[in-house]
């Protein structure tokens, strides 16, 4: 179904469909990240970005959503003279 057909079928505006698409993509990203964290607990954002081929912004967005929904926990550590967050699934 094309976007235009979806709009006609559901009577939703394009901005509404755009928001829904963004939410669905966010959920898919979150699921991928949780699966990765289950296999690799205690990684940093840089590790995730490198291993999954994601931008840091995409990683940060997913981490923010998952932290708000209490699905992950961050542990601050000192790594190479800088503070880093280790990310663990709950």
């Amino acid at each position: 179904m094309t976007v235009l057909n979806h709009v006609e079928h559901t009577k939703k505006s394009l901005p509404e469909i755009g928001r829904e698409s963004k939410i669905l993509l966010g959920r898919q990203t979150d699921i991928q990240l949780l699966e990765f964290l289950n296999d690799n607990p205690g990684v940093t954002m840089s590790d995730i970005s490198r291993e999954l081929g994601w931008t840091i912004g995409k990683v940060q967005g997913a981490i923010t959503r998952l932290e708000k929904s209490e699905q992950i926990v961050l542990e601050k550590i000192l790594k190479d003279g800088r503070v880093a967050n280790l990310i663990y699934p709950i």
Side-chain angles (χ1 to χ4, degrees), residues 4 6 8-9 21 23-24 29 42 47 59-60 71 80 87:
L4 185 56
H6 185 71
E8 291 172 359
H9 179 70
S21 295
I23 289 169
L24 287 174
T29 299
D47 296 332
V59 174
Q60 286 173 327
Q71 295 182 66
D80 299 326
I87 305 154

Side-chain angles (χ1 to χ4, degrees), residues 20 67 85 87:
E20 289 175 5
E67 191 175 23
N85 287 312
I87 305 154

Side-chain angles (χ1 to χ4, degrees), residues 39-85:
D39 292 337
N40 305 280
V43 293
T44 65
M45 282 192 232
S46 296
D47 296 332
I48 295 166
S49 176
R50 183 177 48 256
E51 292 296 321
L52 296 180
W54 294 356
T55 64
I56 289 294
K58 182 174 183 175
V59 174
Q60 286 173 327
I63 287 172
T64 298
R65 286 189 301 273
L66 293 171
E67 191 175 23
K68 282 183 183 179
S69 64
E70 299 179 350
Q71 295 182 66
I72 62 170
V73 64
L74 305 179
E75 176 188 347
K76 290 189 185 304
I77 64 159
L78 192 60
K79 181 178 179 182
D80 299 326
R82 299 189 302 175
V83 174
N85 287 312

